Structures are given as C-alpha cells and as structure tokens.
C-alpha cells in the first residue's frame, strides 16, 4: 500500500533506504592479503539485506593453496573466472573428488565436507565463492592448521602415533593460504576416488548450450543437471544493450548476483517497503530476497554478463508475462480495468529476456 511521503520523518526514510539497499561494490573493497593470494568478502556485516548468501572473491597466485578446511554453517558454490585451479572435496565415506577447473567451470562443496583449492596454472587464478548463509564468515572457517595448532602435543602424539618433535615445525596459527611448489610438480591426492561420478562436484557451466533469447542468453546449473549441488543453483546470463530480464520472482530462493561484464540497472520490488532501483557495474554484487519482485536492464553500451546464485538446488521462478498470459482474460480485464481486447495483445507465453525493442 502506498504511503504518503509527508508522514515520514527524514530519519525514517533513510533507515528505509538502508534496509532496501541491495547492492555492494565487492571488487572495489580492500582485500585481505596473504603471500599466496587475497580475498574479499560480502556478508550481512557489509550488506544487511543479504541474509541468505555470503559472497567471496578470491585470488590465488601460481602454486597457491587455499588450505585444507571446512565450513560448519554453509555449503560452498564456486565459479572460476580466470586461471586454472584444482579443487579436492572429501566426503564422509573418505572418498576424494579431485577435479581441474578453468574459466566458466563451477564446483560445489556440501556443508561440512573437507576441501581445498589449488592454483595449478602459471597465472593468477580468480574465482568467486557463494555460501548459502549470510552470517557465514570466510575468515573464521575451520582450518586443519588451526586445529592442530590448538591441540595439545600429547593428544597429537596419541592421535597420529608419532613422536612429539614431529609437530615442532607445524604452524603455530592458522595458515589459511599457503604458497607451494611451482605448478606441474604436484601429485594427485591418494586414496579412494569418488565412486559416484554422477555426484561429482564439478560442472562446466559456460560449456552448456543454454537458452537463447532475442535479448540475451542463460545457462543454468540446477539439481537437475548438477545433482551434487542439492542446496544451491546458479546461472550465467547475458543481456544485450537495451535488453530486459523480465519482471519475475523466485518463490523458493534468495538470489545473489555478481556482474562479470557491463553495467546493469536492477529494480527490487518489496511491496510495502517500496521499490528500489540501483546500478551495478562489473565487480559489484546484488541480492534479491526470496519472493521479492525484480527485473534487470542493460543500460550500458556493452553486453552485460552476470553470475546468478540461488540458495536452493531447485530453480523456481514466476514471470509476470506468463502469469498474465495464463490468467483468464475476463479476470485480468476486471483487475486492470481494461478491455479484454487489450489483453489479447499481451505476450502469449513467458518473455524471460526481452530485447527491449517493440
Ligand atoms: Mn571453502
Ligand atoms: Mn531473478
């Protein structure tokens, strides 16, 4: 319901504006830096609306390793932007899944599973991580080095059946990122390989055929084609200049987006809380709460490319064009107060991406 602006104090409208802020310049932030690479994070601490997803932009130098670790409160969904990496995931059955990654490939790590990421190329490796919990903190993950550092020597002796001095040279605190041997000198993990390849944590998103519209393209990774990723889904979307990703919402998921290329203008419709329109350029992120209406427009001169992540493995959406097309004309005519004839000119099915031209 619309409210009169006059009845609100200035303080209140500012609080409302903050509550409706749904964008953040992730790459514009200062990184946390290690010898082997760096990391930038956006969670509810930086973007309060982002309750369902935390995002991280991470770069590893050649030979760099994001150390052996796990996450207690979130699953991890990763997208390789540049470089060549290797991700190893260990499941509770003790099976390894070690896969190599290039630009456009994604990986999924179930909540609590052991994993690590290596740069195996000769250039910097840049990847994006999304976690299905806005309270997640990438800088307080469970790291193997930190656990060993916090464990009394006599326990380590009993645990591994080794002399105490073996642990003299172990790190005294968390390593987080380590710089290793030059690329090409590494060996694959030992032990049992994953015996259910269908549940591999690797999926080649950019290599998919996808769907083509007059205004752009979309490639999806959902539980249907990437079954390991049971609690998160993702998409790679392009919009031509002037194109519109149509008015829609997601009944079952929050949406987190990262702009890879171009300039996009996004509008969030939050019912009584109002609407908010914000621009996001390459390196920026946005967050659409579950069930909130939204649409995205390419307002720049170059193509927009975006990575979209959902905190549900099942992809669901309702598009306004399809809804109107499926509504009996007499019902729609009464609701909108227009002649039925006008409704016959509306699209007969979902638009999804409009070229922006009539
Ligand atoms: Mn991780
Ligand atoms: Mn959406």
């Amino acid at each position: 319901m619309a409210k009169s602006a006059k009845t609100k104090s200035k303080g209140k409208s500012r609080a409302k504006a903050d509550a409706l802020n749904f964008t953040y310049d992730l790459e514009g932030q200062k990184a946390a830096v290690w010898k082997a690479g760096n990391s930038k994070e956006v969670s509810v601490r930086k973007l309060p609306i982002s309750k369902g997803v935390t995002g991280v932009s991470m770069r590893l130098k050649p030979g760099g390793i994001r150390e052996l670790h796990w996450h207690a409160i979130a699953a991890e969904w990763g997208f390789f932007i540049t470089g060549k990496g290797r991700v190893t995931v260990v499941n509770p059955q003790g099976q390894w899944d070690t896969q190599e990654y290039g630009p456009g490939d994604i990986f999924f790590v179930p909540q609590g599973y052991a994993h690590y990421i290596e740069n195996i190329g000769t250039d910097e490796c840049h990847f994006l991580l999304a976690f299905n919990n806005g309270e997640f903190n990438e800088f307080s993950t469970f790291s193997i080095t930190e656990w060993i550092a916090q464990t009394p020597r006599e326990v380590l002796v009993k645990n591994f059946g080794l002399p105490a001095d073996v642990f003299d040279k172990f790190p005294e605190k968390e390593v987080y990122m380590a710089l290793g041997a030059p690329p090409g000198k590494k060996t694959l993990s030992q032990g049992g390989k994953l015996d259910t390849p269908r549940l591999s944590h690797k999926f080649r998103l950019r290599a998919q055929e996808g769907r083509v519209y007059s205004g752009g393209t979309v490639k999806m990774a959902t539980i249907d084609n990437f079954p390991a990723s049971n609690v998160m889904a993702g998409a790679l979307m392009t919009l031509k200049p002037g194109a519109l990703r149509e008015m829609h919402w997601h009944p079952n998921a929050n949406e987190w987006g990262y702009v890879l290329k171009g300039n996009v203008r996004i509008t969030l419709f939050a019912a009584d809380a109002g609407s908010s329109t914000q621009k996001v350029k390459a390196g920026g992120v946005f967050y659409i709460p579950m069930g909130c209406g939204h649409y995205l427009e390419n307002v720049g001169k170059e193509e927009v490319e975006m990575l979209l992540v959902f905190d549900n493995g099942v992809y669901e959406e309702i598009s306004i064009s399809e809804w109107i097309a499926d509504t009996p004309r007499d019902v729609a005519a009464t609701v909108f107060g227009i002649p039925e004839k006008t409704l016959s000119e509306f699209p007969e099915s979902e638009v999804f991406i409009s070229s922006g031209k009539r």
Side-chain angles (χ1 to χ4, degrees):
M1 196 172 85
K3 286 172 195 153
S4 164
K6 282 177 194 160
T7 62
K8 277 177 297 189
S9 71
K10 269 190 178 163
K12 244 187 176 171
S13 22
R14 174 151 313 155
K16 192 174 125 175
D18 286 348
L20 267 190
N21 178 46
F22 62 92
T23 61
Y24 187 77
D25 180 14
L26 181 58
E27 298 300 348
Q29 306 303 310
K30 236 182 124 187
V33 179
W34 287 262
K35 262 190 205 134
N38 65 69
S39 188
K40 295 170 182 172
E41 179 187 75
V42 55
S43 67
V44 285
R45 293 174 291 281
K46 301 270 180 63
L47 182 63
I49 200 171
S50 187
K51 293 193 173 80
V53 177
T54 292
V56 171
S57 171
M58 192 175 284
R59 289 170 173 84
L60 279 179
K61 289 179 186 166
I65 301 175
R66 170 69 179 97
E67 81 152 289
L68 283 75
H69 69 282
W70 72 98
H71 309 296
I73 62 164
E76 176 172 350
W77 191 101
F79 176 86
F80 275 78
I81 298 175
T82 57
K84 201 173 168 203
R86 188 156 65 198
V87 182
T88 298
V89 180
V90 183
N91 72 18
Q93 289 74 46
Q95 296 168 339
W96 298 85
D97 188 20
T98 299
Q99 304 279 350
E100 290 189 1
Y101 291 82
D105 296 340
I106 56 178
F107 66 87
F108 177 76
V109 184
Q111 183 170 319
Y113 280 29
H115 59 286
Y116 59 95
I117 305 169
E118 303 163 272
N119 181 346
I120 57 167
T122 48
D123 299 313
E124 182 184 77
C125 183
H126 180 204
F127 46 90
L128 214 61
L129 307 172
F131 300 86
N132 62 346
N133 187 336
E135 300 284 345
F136 175 83
N137 186 345
E138 169 62 20
F139 305 115
S140 59
T141 59
F142 290 76
S143 295
I144 198 167
T145 53
E146 187 167 23
W147 198 10
I148 288 176
Q150 289 187 14
T151 302
R153 193 60 60 88
E154 60 269 26
V155 173
L156 295 173
V157 166
K158 274 192 213 170
N159 198 113
F160 296 103
L162 291 167
D165 60 8
V166 166
F167 299 99
D168 285 350
K169 296 227 165 76
F170 268 61
E172 285 170 13
K173 60 181 181 58
E174 184 185 35
V175 168
Y176 189 79
M177 277 183 188
L179 202 52
K185 290 197 175 171
K186 289 176 186 165
T187 53
L188 286 175
S189 296
Q190 303 297 304
K193 268 203 171 156
L194 187 72
D195 62 10
T196 47
R198 202 182 71 85
L199 290 178
S200 165
H201 69 258
K202 179 178 176 180
F203 186 78
R204 306 201 62 205
L205 182 59
R206 197 187 287 284
Q208 304 301 304
E209 211 169 296
R211 303 199 303 266
V212 179
Y213 299 86
S214 58
T217 61
V218 66
K219 294 171 180 179
M220 305 273 312
T222 72
I223 199 165
D224 298 325
N225 55 0
F226 185 24
S229 185
N230 59 343
V231 294
M232 296 178 83
L236 201 54
M237 184 177 285
T238 63
L239 295 177
K240 290 180 186 166
L244 167 79
R245 167 70 179 103
E246 81 154 300
M247 298 157 78
H248 70 283
W249 71 95
H250 307 284
N252 69 339
N254 296 296
E255 175 174 357
W256 185 91
Y258 177 95
V259 178
L260 293 158
K261 269 197 318 200
N263 275 291
V264 64
R265 187 171 70 192
I266 308 167
T267 300
L268 171 71
F269 167 58
D272 273 11
S275 287
S276 175
T277 299
Q278 293 173 33
K279 278 188 189 171
V280 187
K281 62 184 193 323
V285 309
F286 58 89
Y287 182 86
I288 309 292
M290 190 185 310
C292 284
H294 54 289
Y295 54 90
L296 302 90
E297 301 162 274
N298 182 349
V299 290
K301 290 199 171 81
E302 59 164 330
E303 185 181 72
V304 161
E305 185 175 45
M306 300 172 289
L307 188 69
L308 311 172
V309 186
F310 304 88
D311 58 354
N312 196 321
V314 176
Y315 179 80
E316 286 184 348
E317 64 167 63
I318 297 180
S319 292
I320 198 165
S321 62
E322 189 173 21
W323 192 17
I324 290 175
D326 292 348
T327 301
R329 288 205 186 138
D330 58 330
V331 172
T334 303
V335 169
F336 294 123
I338 56 169
E340 283 187 35
K341 191 177 155 291
T342 308
L343 284 156
S344 66
E345 287 157 24
F346 272 65
E348 283 172 8
S349 59
E350 185 187 34
V351 170
F352 198 78
I353 296 172
S354 154
S355 68
K357 297 180 190 94
R358 277 204 62 191

